[in-house]
Each structure stands twice: as C-alpha cells, then as structure tokens.
Amino acid sequence: MTPAHGSAEPVLQAIGAGRVYGRANAAVPALLDADLAFHRGEVCALRGRSGSGKTTLLNLLGLLDRPTSGRIVFLGKDTSGYSDRRLALTRRGALGYVLQDAGLIENMTAVDNVCLPGFYAGLSARRAREIALRALGDVGLADKAERRVGALSGGERMRVGLARALSLEPQLIIADEPTASLDAETAHAVIDRLARAAAGGACVIAASHDPIVLERATRTVALAHGRVVTPEPVA
Amino acid sequence: MNRLLAVLRLAMWAAFSKPSRAALLIATLGGGAAGVAVAAGVMSGYAREMERMTFGAYARSLVITENTFLDDRFGPPRLADIPRLQEALRDSVEAWAAWRSATGDVRYGREQANLPVRGVLGDYRREADMPLQAGRALTLAETQGADRLCVLGAGAARQLFRNDPAVGEAIRINGISCDVVGVFAEAENQLAERYRQSVFAPFTAAARYFENADAFGSAGPNEVSQLTIVLTPETRRRAALMTADQTLRRSHGVPQAQVSPFEYADPAAPTRALERQRDLIGRLLITIAAVTVAVALTGYAAAANAAVDMRRREIALQMMSGATGRLITAQVLIEGLIIGLAASVAGSALVMAGAGLAQTFARFPFELNPGVIALTFVAGALTGLIASLPPARRAASGSPALSARG
C-alpha cells in the first residue's frame, strides 16, 4: 500500500472491515476482513466478479453503510460508531459519488441535480448554482444545464453525474462502474476527468472491469467471494 | 438558513414534480378541506343571520300590543300603564318606549308618499337602532313634548328628498308642517329595517297630525299601539310577563279567567329558533367535516407513503449528497404542508362554486368570509402536515446505500 503521490496519511482506511447482511441462519457475509488504505492522488480500481463484494465495499468506503465488523477510518477518524446524521454530515462536500447509471433525480434539470451537494453543504442557492454551472461546463454540458435529465443521452447523464460528484472538489471520489455502458470516447473523457481530480489531490476509488479504467488506475484491488485478494500497485 | 431554503425549494419541486401524483394528493386532502369549508361556511352563515336578528337589549323586551283576536275588546295599552308596570316590575325594567303608529300623507314640495308615522315616547331607539346619517335624533324631552319635529328613516328621506339634504327642511304630515331635525342611516339589523320608511315624531305631536284623519282609529290620546318594556339581563322573562299581564288585567278590569286582552311578543324567539337550527345542523356538519378530514388524513398518509416508496432511490440520492434524516423529514413535511395549502385552495374553490350553484336552487345560510377561508387553510395545512408524519419518518429511515442500486 504505497502512497502514489507521497502523502503518508491515508485519506481512507478499511481496517478488518466486514459486512454481513441478515441475521442468524439467514446471515449472508458480503465482505470479510478488508484491510485497505487509500491516499490522496491515487486512482484505485476495484475489480472482481459480480457478487464479489465490490459494491458492498464501495458503500462502506463511501460512508453510505456501516461495517458489521472492523472499522472505516476517514481523514484519521473512525466512523464506525457514527450515527446516520454524523455520517451524512461527514459525507457533505468531502465525498463525491459517480454511480453506474449516473444516479440522477429524474424530472430535475441537470443544473439542479448538480446543485444538490452544494445545497446540503449549506451554500446559498446562487453560489450552489454558480458552482454547478462551472462543473457542468467542465464536463462540456454548459449548454444543457437547464435540460431535464430525462431528456439527456446516456453519456450526457453520466457526465452530469460526474459534474455532481466533482462540483465541490471532494477529497474522496467513489465511482461504481463509471464507464459501463458508455462509448469509448465518453469513457475516456470520464476517466480523464477522474484522473485529473486525483492529480488535484483527491483519492479516486472506482469499481470497474473496464480496461480503460484499469489502464489509468495507479493501483488495483481485486475482490473474490467477499475477500480482498490482491491489493497490488499497478506498474 | 441556506439549507432550510434549499429544503423548501426541493419540497416545492418534489410536491409538483409528478403532476398526476400531486393532483391525486390534492384531491385527497381537498375533500377534507372542503368538508371544513362547508361546515365553517354554514356556521358562519348562521352567525351572520343571527347577528342580523340580534336586537341587543330589545331581545329581552316585553312587547305589549292589543290582542285583536278577541271578540270582547278592552282597547290597547295606555300611557298610564307605564308607571303601573314600572312599579310592578320594579328593578327589572331597564328602559321603556311607547309607540303610536299610523300611515300618513307625507309631502315635501311636489314629492308625496304614504309613509308610516311613528309617535314615539321614551327610549325608542332600542328598537329603531339605526345610526344617524345627518342631524340628530329626538331627545327624551322632545318625545315627551308636542313640538312639531321629526326624524326620517333612510328610505323615507330618499323618497321625499332624493339625494338632497333633508335636515332643516319642513315636511307636511296630513297637511301639518313638521321640521326635519335628523335622518337615520340604513339599518344594520332586521328589526330596525322595519323603520327605514318611517317618520318619527314626538308621541303627542304625532296624535295632532291625525286629529282630522281617522288613521289612529278610535284610539284615545293616551292609547298606544305598542308598549316596549326592556327587562334587565338577569330578569326571568316568563315571570316578568306574568307580572305585567296581572298588572294590565287589574288596570283594564279583565278577570284572570278570561283570555288576556294583550299580546306579549317575544322578540328573541326567531333568534332562538335559528340557534336551535344552527346547533342541530352544526353538529351534523362538524361530524361530516371530522369524518372527511379523517378520511383525507388516512388517504393522504397512505398515498404519501406509497409515493415515498416510489421515491426511495431519489431520497437515497439526496442522502448520498449530504441530506440528513432531519432534512428529509422536513422536506416531506413541507411537501405535505404545500399540498395541504393547495388542497385548501381547491377545497375552498369547490365549495364556493358548489354553494353558489346550490343557492340558486335553495336559500340557506352560507358565508365564505376571510375567517372561514383562513380556517379552511389552517385545517388543510394541518391535515397535510399531520398526514405527512408517517411518510416523513419512513423517508428519513431509508438508507443512502440504496443510491448505488440503479
């Protein structure tokens, strides 16, 4: 676990993190004993077959879920005992998420979707909108800011999702299959933008099988049957 | 503050993002709001009717007239009965007035009208409760005198003077001149409305106008058309009536065994009848309103719960973006409030249209005044807010991890 950009203090750590769904006889272990550390400037690719625990790990790393065993340490603080409210407050502005299907709220315009993290971070409507428009411009969608997301193409929707994730310049970006179902050109554009964010000091963790993502990753973590099998640096 | 404004904005967006869903929710709550508007509107209508029928102290009066249905006539009450009644009823008498009424030929210049002329004595304005439009009313001393002065009701003044000033002019009643000292404004209640066409003159002076006419019939100079005894609030009306009847019987020599030669009108009777009607209908309408509000409440809660289920991912995405459970709760509650207010608008509009239509077929007391509309809005907003509590709790308990599931 070598820091890619020389930052010794990890942004995020999973220490013996595990997640079991259900209880007693119906318990299903989705992730077991994950020990990982992520640093600023790195692009870490998580790979593994379907059901290997990638999304479960991403949810834990993205502070969207709590481990049933072990700990998640974000910016040096153990978040395992955090309440839902404290987790939400921690996520505000510090984490960005790029989801497989973009994860946009239908019926809202592109700019309103991108405004959401700004709203919850306590920015004024005007300031949140300024930032959102800049983020949309950054992904080449300034002219479609006022369109309802339902009227956008798949690639455009993904770029709106990317703009939302990056709008507040978070320290940690969680991406779940960010290039799936995108054409090669858009996929390259998306991973370029994520790599640029990493170069700017963010840590990017992306679950993906896409060679385009794997090529650009500074490290790959493989998962199988809920276990981390190869926390290896990419040459 | 910014976050609250954002929540308000998101709630506004969420409330109307799906027009069909919003329409369904508005219709559900609108029924309850309409129920409240109908109940409050009818109650308010009754209140207005009763206000118009409220005669203040006059409602506590014994209004004594001759019983004209009797074969053996003993004549009308007399002025001499007033001190006897005062003595018999003692502290129960708050005020009194004597009236002599007849229709006279009233003229001003070329204008002529047959108008009721009321000879008044005592506190006549308890009944003729009308504000002054111009000039002054007759004083107590003037009612006891015989000066040829008069005050006109608003209708009488309009008939004789059109829009010209009447005070200071002289009219002729059955050919005798009389100076106008005041003009009453329009009446504000049904009782006083009876006097809007009248000419008010001192009791004795009024008799003079009819000396050569037969308008007061065979009435002697001391006979009155109507005697009004205003009782104090604590007096029991029934007991006072019996005392007054005994006193008048003694005074007029009518044995107890005979039917009373006098009639005692109960001015408060129509109000009491309306009160009973209002209480009965009020209870019925309040029950109906409560049922419709309860149905709206449960219907809205169920529909909003289903809507929250359909929006679980949308809510998870908001949580992923940093929304806390409290902000989600606030958003859903504000959505309920907004839908409730929209439902109040719809309910009020529906009731206004419905009442207008219904009143073309049948008259009934109904009034959609600002108070009723405010009550409807409060009821709609509260119903929306209360019915949103379960869906708000449900929404806030969702997991942000759902956002990852496409």
Side-chain angles (χ1 to χ4, degrees), chain A residues 59-94:
Chain A
N59 283 345
L60 296 184
L61 297 176
L63 308 184
L64 297 174
D65 198 4
R66 285 192 203 81
T68 46
S69 61
R71 294 180 292 146
I72 300 292
V73 179
F74 179 60
L75 298 175
K77 288 181 182 161
D78 182 1
T79 64
S80 324
Y82 278 15
S83 63
D84 288 347
R85 178 178 160 75
R86 189 134 185 230
L87 279 178
L89 297 179
T90 308
R91 287 195 296 270
R92 275 182 192 167

Side-chain angles (χ1 to χ4, degrees), chain A residues 12 58-59 61-64 95-99 165 172-176 203-206:
Chain A
L12 183 71
L58 279 184
N59 283 345
L61 297 176
L63 308 184
L64 297 174
L95 278 91
Y97 304 85
V98 183
L99 304 177
L172 177 62
I173 298 159
I174 302 289
D176 190 4
C203 170
V204 177
I205 304 169

Side-chain angles (χ1 to χ4, degrees), chain A residues 91-92 99 101 103 120 122, chain B residues 2-3 10 313 318-319 322:
Chain A
R91 287 195 296 270
R92 275 182 192 167
L99 304 177
D101 66 342
Y120 291 122
Chain B
N2 284 338
R3 241 171 248 131
L10 286 167
R313 184 152 192 249
Q318 287 178 250
M319 289 177 149

